[in-house]
Amino acid sequence: MPQPHELSAQELLQAYRNKTLSPVEATRSVLEHIERWEPKLKATYALEPEQALAMAKASEARWMKGEPQSCGGYTLDGVPATIKENIATRGTPIPLGTAATDLTPAAADAPPAARMREAGAVLLGKTTMPDYGMLSSGLSSFHELTRNPWDLTKNPGGSSAGAGAAAAAGYGPLHIGTDIGGSVRLPAAWCGVATLKPSLGRIPIDPPFMGRCAGPMTRTITDAALMMGVLSQPDARDHMSLPFQDFDWLNLSQEVRGLRIGLLMDAGCGLPLDPEIRQAVEEAARAFEAAGAIVTPMLPWMTPDMLEGVDRFWRTRSAIDLAALPEARRAKILPFIRAWAESGGGQSGEAVFRSYYETLNVRAKTVAACAPFDYVLSPVAPVVAYNAEWPSPTNEVATTMHHIGFTLPFNMSEQPAASVNCGYMRAGLPIGLQIAGARFDDLGVLRVAHAWEQMRPAQHPWPQPPKTI
């Protein structure tokens, strides 16, 4: 029989309703499992077992009365969850992954954390990220090195590094990450879990920024959909948020037959695609075709100049942020990130505008390329999990963004895009399939991802804690 820490959120909630399991028992099981993993994995920040157990006891009392807490009609009451550390939770400092940050406790929950608390989730603590979230890596100047549970010598990806590792390792079923260029999809792909980068503004977040989204990270698309029902509830603090839409998030049934699906196997920029990843994604496309979808190969629309333009724009933004810090604090930043950011300083206004123009160019070209299709399939990344100690797959400042050619376009275009596992390398590392949809079609993307979960080959067992710690 599965242990409580292995159960999905839906399974836990059903057990609570049936009174065959209590939130306290589930939370204890998860905390004990974390204790076995964490000395090697290092996925958490501000883990608070006593607070989590107190929340579980309060949840248990509500379930005993038959009065579970809910938010927008969706309950997560008693379900263990983690939140990425750059999403404020009241009373906890927000280091942003860097030793350069002053550790001032947050005064209030940010919108995603507030919704989770309102829905009754048991908040275990926070998860790790690299400096300022500007790496697809578990490397940080503040947190200990976060590793990939599938292979502890490998990287979990980032910037939602701890969330991806925690989801794969079984630190409870529900985790929240953030994504501005691939930061929920990359760790989801490299850790073999499911995620949705929603349409910009679908999940209110504070502070908002162009391309920045919060997203659920779970082991199943159904649990991600359940979280969307909670996280998408309105919050006026996000001045970029979408008008609230009351979707039936758990209605995931989808007829694949007749769907027009684009297949993108060349990002047009960055690193070349690994042949094993190509094979896995093409096999997924053939499965959709066999189920009646109309699959059409796509030509790349991104170019090296477009990718480099966005990279330069981000470097300049980060250079300005770093220049505002006292030198003593700047010196604490991860040297790789400092070198990357400072290379964007001293730009003329004309040069900065050219970089910004490329972000708009990415947006326009992405929307136009996707317009003929209902959904687009692609790899999440051209490579799988890489060396744990490296800040990026190339380990070079100049090419640090060369793995995000498949993910970045959908941040700039504001389109929803999911990552769901589609196979494994011969060495056993997971491979991510990206499923993107038109702007605002978040539920449709989840439905197609759920359909893929029903079609895909049997999954490997989830990784277990090392026997010797």
Side-chain angles (χ1 to χ4, degrees):
M1 292 291 291
Q3 297 299 305
H5 68 263
E6 299 175 300
L7 298 177
S8 70
Q10 296 279 43
E11 290 169 332
L12 286 175
L13 291 168
Q14 190 57 51
Y16 300 161
R17 291 186 190 99
N18 297 341
K19 296 185 169 53
T20 57
L21 183 68
S22 82
V24 173
E25 292 169 327
T27 301
R28 282 185 176 142
S29 175
V30 170
L31 289 170
E32 289 167 3
H33 189 66
I34 292 173
E35 190 175 353
R36 291 189 289 271
W37 257 124
E38 192 60 2
K40 293 291 185 183
L41 206 58
K42 308 294 185 184
T44 65
Y45 159 68
L47 185 68
E48 298 182 340
E50 291 183 8
Q51 175 183 287
L53 285 169
M55 296 179 81
K57 288 174 184 174
S59 172
E60 182 179 63
R62 292 191 292 269
W63 280 106
M64 291 300 290
K65 294 178 184 176
E67 299 174 354
Q69 208 164 291
S70 65
C71 176
Y74 296 86
T75 184
L76 303 176
D77 209 340
V79 180
T82 72
I83 298 174
K84 187 176 177 181
E85 63 104 315
N86 65 341
I87 298 173
T89 51
R90 64 175 183 253
T92 304
I94 311 168
L96 300 176
T98 179
T101 302
D102 283 335
L103 298 180
T104 303
D109 289 335
R115 300 297 86 75
M116 294 292 282
R117 204 183 295 273
E118 290 162 10
V122 171
L123 303 184
L124 302 169
K126 312 297 282 291
T127 50
T128 60
M129 61 183 279
D131 291 55
Y132 300 112
M134 292 312 300
L135 293 175
S136 299
S137 174
L139 185 64
S140 161
S141 63
F142 179 84
H143 303 293
E144 293 187 76
L145 179 65
T146 305
R147 297 177 180 271
N148 191 314
W150 291 93
D151 180 343
L152 292 171
T153 71
K154 301 298 183 184
N155 208 295
S159 63
S160 304
Y171 287 24
L174 305 181
H175 309 271
I176 308 177
T178 61
D179 189 314
I180 199 171
S183 289
V184 295
R185 287 159 291 160
L186 292 162
W190 292 337
C191 294
V193 301
T195 192
L196 174 71
K197 180 213 76 70
S199 300
L200 183 73
R202 178 69 68 204
I203 295 176
I205 194 167
D206 184 29
F209 186 78
M210 180 177 62
R212 184 177 187 238
C213 302
M217 302 182 71
T218 60
R219 286 183 169 185
T220 69
I221 287 294
T222 302
D223 275 359
L226 176 64
M227 289 183 76
M228 286 301 297
V230 171
L231 296 174
S232 63
Q233 296 299 311
D235 194 302
R237 289 176 287 175
D238 184 349
H239 55 79
M240 296 173 71
S241 63
L242 296 174
F244 174 69
Q245 290 183 268
D246 190 15
F247 292 120
D248 184 0
W249 288 102
L250 294 176
N251 179 6
L252 291 174
S253 109
Q254 172 70 57
E255 175 59 54
V256 171
R257 182 170 300 279
L259 287 180
R260 300 167 302 158
I261 293 180
L263 177 62
L264 179 68
M265 298 303 299
D266 180 359
C269 57
L271 297 173
L273 182 62
D274 185 287
E276 289 186 65
I277 298 175
R278 176 181 295 278
Q279 180 180 347
V281 173
E282 287 179 343
E283 287 176 359
R286 284 193 288 271
F288 275 96
E289 202 164 35
I294 303 161
V295 178
T296 304
M298 300 177 71
L299 294 173
W301 63 87
M302 287 286 289
T303 67
D305 284 347
M306 291 161 71
L307 177 63
E308 289 169 15
V310 177
D311 185 10
R312 285 195 309 272
F313 184 68
W314 285 350
R315 289 178 193 235
T316 301
R317 174 199 174 198
S318 296
I320 292 168
D321 290 342
L322 266 59
L325 297 175
E327 175 54 35
R329 286 176 58 188
R330 276 202 306 276
K332 296 178 181 180
I333 295 169
L334 195 72
F336 187 95
I337 280 293
R338 185 170 176 181
W340 172 82
E342 290 179 347
S343 70
Q347 302 291 313
S348 69
E350 184 176 317
V352 173
F353 184 81
R354 284 200 192 100
S355 298
Y356 175 67
Y357 173 77
E358 290 298 350
T359 69
L360 300 181
N361 195 23
V362 173
R363 176 191 179 101
K365 294 288 179 63
T366 303
V367 172
C370 295
F373 305 103
D374 299 310
Y375 301 97
V376 171
L377 303 182
S378 76
V380 173
V383 295
V384 291
Y386 57 96
N387 293 348
E389 293 81 6
W390 284 12
S392 74
T394 65
N395 199 30
E396 295 178 353
V397 171
T399 57
T400 190
M401 299 297 176
H402 278 213
H403 59 288
I404 65 172
F406 289 109
T407 53
L408 172 69
F410 300 108
N411 292 84
M412 298 301 100
S413 69
E414 305 182 10
Q415 294 171 242
S419 173
V420 63
N421 190 58
C422 72
Y424 304 87
M425 304 287 281
R426 284 190 291 272
L429 292 171
I431 298 169
L433 173 70
Q434 181 170 246
I435 303 171
R439 289 177 70 204
F440 317 130
D441 189 21
D442 304 72
L443 181 54
V445 168
L446 287 175
R447 285 173 170 167
V448 174
H450 181 66
W452 166 244
E453 284 184 331
Q454 315 310 305
M455 291 190 286
R456 69 185 177 185
Q459 298 292 280
H460 290 188
W462 291 104
Q464 297 300 315
K467 292 182 180 178
T468 303
I469 293 178

